[in-house]
Amino acid sequence: MKLRLPPSLGRGFSVFWTGQTVSMVGDQVTVFVVPTLMIFALHASALQVGIVSMAQYLGIPLLGPVAGVLVDRWDKRWTMLACDLIRLVAVLVIPLAYWQGWLSTPLLFACVAVTSGATIFFNVGYLVAVPAVVPEQDHLVRAYSRLEGSSSVASVAGPSIAAGLYGVLGVAALVVDAASYLVSALCFRSMRPWGERTVVPGSVRERLTLGFRLNWADPVLRRVVIAAVTLNSGGPIFVTVLPILGYRGLHLSVATYGAAMSVAAVGALIGAVVAPKVSERLGLGRTFAWALLLHCLVGLGVFAAPALPAGAVIAVTMGCYGFFMSFINVCSAPTRQARMSAENQGVMHAAYRTLTWGVIPLAALVGGVAVTLLTGSLGILDAARAVMAGGTLLAALSFVSAVRIQPLLDAATRVSAQQADAEAELADSAS
């Protein structure tokens, strides 16, 4: 039997996909190295880890609304290229400061915040880029599945690579992430022009208002927003506290923690492969809703440690956690894009990011503060476990809003079919 390769989505998408895959691997290095560096080199407290974690998302409520308006008016390809170069410089500052003896929590906060700000503009362009470089709109789910697969592969390889690089190079491991941004920028430079400036009526304020209004007025988008806000109110608490639990509560080594996170990411990779098939069978909305609930509940499995081997528990638990996260990511973007015209994609995505990711900085800070406050009475292990459990259960409430999305999508499909039938009948009678 001859093996059939999946059809190509075009050169533009292939180049874009290559650049993002390399960049995603580099991102995983920084995501792993920064908290590890803080805990082992700077001897940072849980509060300090939470503060720097907050910086990763702080720009979202500050820059998110205006990012969509500006990216709509700028050349998207060149905007994303510039964002890559800004992030390259911000990441390189960290090892340079460390070697010069200047590295501190405030400087790390600043570097992470600048990287976050550039990422906000990049991500708005990213969501506009995919439909712009994919030749057929009905291939969008497949395109997002491939990108999610790359993200999952990066998650599989990234922590082990990061742990190995950190063991050999220390803070110089961050140079790998800086180099990945350069590769991504070169890929954008080699692509044919796409996503030029969009000429749209209205002032910046009017476009900002429109973005929020579009997300709230549409019943499907509104439920997606509420679900995502709820998820991001609790999920970042879990993720922020996880390295504190692993390193200080369970006394894992950097190598063991890195290996566990790499094994865990296999689940996310499998999820990216399976999600399109499951969503075709169950529907995007139904798959999205159940993935939200299961993604949160499986996180509770991490509390089987230290009764069971900690490394294995984190690997298996986070593998299931990532498996369902891939479903969420694969289903969310196509669901939202199908509800919006091309000229309003930028402001819609920017407003969505602002609303749904704007709560993440506060959630990350709450995680660090809560562990700090509870450690005195409970100890670091039980304090981390209690805070992670609270965040997980809060995030699980996202299912309540999402469960009604599929009936709304089904109703919209029926209306479209009825309109198409009516137009066909009208055309037949006219002929």
Side-chain angles (χ1 to χ4, degrees), residues 5 40 59 75 107 121 152 210 224 282 299 334 342 383-384 410 412:
L5 296 175
F40 288 103
D75 183 293
L107 182 58
F121 284 86
S152 300
L210 175 64
V224 173
L282 299 182
D410 292 340

Coordinates of all heavy atoms in Angstrom, one line a residue, residues 5 40 59 75 107 121 152 210 224 282 299 334 342 383-384 410 412:
L5 N 1.1 11.2 1.2 CA 1.5 12.4 2.0 C 0.3 13.4 2.0 O -0.4 13.5 1.1 CB 2.7 13.0 1.4 CG 4.0 12.2 1.5 CD1 5.1 13.0 0.8 CD2 4.4 11.8 2.9
F40 N 17.5 28.8 40.8 CA 18.8 28.3 41.2 C 19.9 29.3 41.2 O 20.8 29.2 42.0 CB 19.2 27.2 40.2 CG 18.4 25.9 40.5 CD1 17.3 25.6 39.6 CD2 18.6 25.1 41.5 CE1 16.6 24.4 39.8 CE2 17.9 23.9 41.8 CZ 16.9 23.6 40.9
G59 N 1.7 43.1 29.1 CA 1.4 43.9 28.0 C 0.1 43.7 27.3 O -0.4 44.6 26.6
D75 N 1.8 47.0 7.4 CA 2.2 45.8 6.6 C 2.4 44.6 7.5 O 3.3 44.7 8.3 CB 3.4 46.0 5.7 CG 3.7 44.9 4.8 OD1 4.1 43.8 5.3 OD2 3.6 45.1 3.6
L107 N 15.3 43.5 36.2 CA 15.8 43.5 34.8 C 15.1 42.3 34.1 O 14.8 42.5 32.9 CB 17.3 43.3 34.8 CG 18.0 43.3 33.4 CD1 17.6 44.6 32.6 CD2 19.5 43.1 33.5
F121 N 1.9 42.1 19.4 CA 1.8 42.6 18.0 C 2.0 41.4 17.1 O 1.3 41.3 16.1 CB 2.8 43.7 17.7 CG 2.4 45.0 18.3 CD1 2.7 45.4 19.6 CD2 1.7 46.0 17.5 CE1 2.3 46.6 20.1 CE2 1.3 47.2 18.1 CZ 1.6 47.5 19.4
S152 N 3.5 21.4 19.7 CA 3.6 20.2 20.5 C 4.9 19.6 20.4 O 5.5 19.1 21.4 CB 2.5 19.2 20.1 OG 1.2 19.8 20.3
L210 N -15.0 48.9 18.2 CA -15.6 47.9 17.3 C -15.1 46.5 17.6 O -15.9 45.5 17.6 CB -15.3 48.2 15.8 CG -15.7 47.2 14.8 CD1 -17.2 47.1 14.8 CD2 -15.2 47.6 13.4
V224 N -17.2 32.1 23.6 CA -15.8 31.7 23.6 C -15.0 32.6 24.5 O -14.1 32.2 25.2 CB -15.3 31.8 22.1 CG1 -13.8 31.6 22.1 CG2 -16.0 30.7 21.3
L282 N -17.5 15.4 16.1 CA -18.3 16.0 17.1 C -18.8 17.4 16.9 O -19.7 17.9 17.5 CB -17.6 15.9 18.5 CG -17.1 14.5 19.0 CD1 -16.4 14.6 20.3 CD2 -18.3 13.6 19.1
G299 N -5.5 18.0 35.3 CA -4.4 18.6 36.0 C -4.3 18.2 37.5 O -3.3 18.3 38.1
P334 N -10.4 28.6 14.4 CA -11.3 28.5 13.3 C -12.8 28.9 13.6 O -13.5 29.4 12.8 CB -11.2 27.0 12.9 CG -9.9 26.6 13.4 CD -9.7 27.4 14.7
A342 N -13.1 39.5 6.8 CA -11.6 39.7 6.7 C -11.1 41.0 7.2 O -10.1 41.1 7.9 CB -11.1 39.5 5.3
A383 N 1.4 24.1 50.3 CA 1.0 25.4 49.8 C 0.8 25.4 48.3 O -0.2 25.9 47.8 CB 2.0 26.5 50.3
A384 N 1.8 24.8 47.6 CA 1.8 24.8 46.2 C 0.6 23.9 45.7 O -0.1 24.2 44.8 CB 3.1 24.2 45.6
D410 N -24.8 24.9 15.2 CA -25.7 24.1 14.4 C -26.9 24.9 13.9 O -27.4 24.8 12.8 CB -26.3 23.0 15.3 CG -25.2 22.0 15.6 OD1 -24.2 21.9 14.9 OD2 -25.4 21.2 16.6
A412 N -26.9 28.1 13.2 CA -26.4 29.0 12.2 C -26.3 28.2 10.9 O -26.6 28.7 9.8 CB -25.1 29.6 12.5

